[in-house]
Amino acid sequence: MSSYDKNSIKRFAIKTCYYLITLASIALAAWALYYAFRCVEIHFAYWVVVYVAIAAYLLLAIKFARSRRRGFHKFLAHSFLLQLIPIVASVLIFCVVPRMPNRVIERVEQEEFGPYKPLQGKVSTYERAFNDMQDVQKRAALTNGLPPFESRAQIEEQYRELRRKKTLVKIETNSKYVVRPLTYSAPYVVPKVEELLDDIADLFQQKTQSNTRFMVTSVLRTEEDIKKLKRVNGNASSASCHCNATTIDISYARFDQDLFRPRDGYQLRLALAQTLHELRKAGRCYVKRERKQYCYHITVR
């Protein structure tokens, strides 16, 4: 291999490394801005200025990269300068921002919640009581629910009329809980379930002293959904309480954490277990813990 070829390969390798480092430094700056955006209250006008500056920086970088008049040494020097700008900006953001969120967090805690005290007790103590079996829950589902639907198309056809009669409502992600993307069910329940969900969420957030949200993982299943589910889960049954719009599954393994007041995963699970225990004891619902699906199977009473 000639010396010319070796130099060309070397130049190409160095050039590629500089491109990668430049991209990494831009990514670092983007993360710093996202961190600042989530943690600090900054006036909208300032964010406009910041994003205009970023756009100008990117245009400058693209223009320079496409220019063929500059020598290789000038390219390296200028590339280093392009990297230096976002790196210095990121360092400045990370130096300034951590001091500001503390005040924001303190204000949020003082206005919205009191000082947090970890919950006492064990999850297993409450979960041992969550043994309401299928026959008990099915009786409640038949009493409080609707006849099974054949398909989701049938739900859509009848929903407007059922909603007018206040016998079926649609639940969606909100400030209290998250409705996960549903593959084998539809987000429709009887009004009593919606009220129960709101009460569970209010009590759960009160116990965690945060805006953390639990996740609803399964809701109303049609006969069509049951057939599809049987292909992946042999235990799926057309006699399931989910068919009557009275039953939901809530995950005890995953939560949508509050950014300002994050909680330990065990504390969140304990808070959810305590919440369901209190509502179950008050005669509001039946609860069964499902180990394989990592969720609580809850039917309204």
Side-chain angles (χ1 to χ4, degrees), residues 227-241:
K227 290 178 182 178
K228 291 179 181 178
L229 185 59
K230 282 182 178 179
R231 297 171 188 168
V232 294
N233 184 356
N235 295 324
S237 170
S238 56
S240 170
C241 302

Side-chain angles (χ1 to χ4, degrees), residues 267-290:
Q267 281 285 304
L268 294 175
R269 184 172 174 179
L270 178 59
L272 183 58
Q274 285 185 356
T275 297
L276 294 177
H277 175 75
E278 292 175 15
L279 292 170
R280 179 179 177 274
K281 192 175 179 181
R284 297 285 307 281
C285 61
Y286 290 116
V287 185
K288 179 75 170 70
R289 179 194 169 198
E290 296 188 355

Side-chain angles (χ1 to χ4, degrees), residues 114-149:
Y116 177 70
K117 294 181 181 179
L119 298 173
Q120 301 300 315
K122 294 182 179 180
V123 172
S124 57
T125 304
Y126 300 99
E127 290 186 342
R128 276 197 293 267
F130 297 160
N131 56 0
D132 299 317
M133 303 305 290
Q134 169 70 9
D135 56 341
V136 176
Q137 296 203 31
K138 188 61 180 179
R139 283 197 295 270
L142 293 173
T143 302
N144 299 302
L146 300 172
F149 293 91

Side-chain angles (χ1 to χ4, degrees), residues 176-195:
K176 295 183 177 183
Y177 52 84
V178 175
V179 180
R180 293 286 304 278
L182 304 173
T183 305
Y184 300 107
S185 64
Y188 298 94
V189 294
V190 296
K192 287 182 72 173
V193 175
E194 186 182 37
E195 293 172 11

Side-chain angles (χ1 to χ4, degrees), residues 150-166:
E150 292 181 3
S151 64
R152 298 194 190 185
Q154 184 186 7
I155 298 175
E156 295 296 334
E157 288 175 7
Q158 300 179 8
Y159 177 63
R160 182 175 295 180
E161 180 65 18
L162 292 172
R163 183 180 179 183
R164 187 183 64 81
K165 293 179 179 178
K166 297 183 179 180

Side-chain angles (χ1 to χ4, degrees), residues 162-178:
L162 292 172
R163 183 180 179 183
R164 187 183 64 81
K165 293 179 179 178
K166 297 183 179 180
T167 55
L168 192 69
V169 294
K170 185 176 183 179
I171 58 172
E172 297 177 331
T173 296
N174 54 50
S175 60
K176 295 183 177 183
Y177 52 84
V178 175

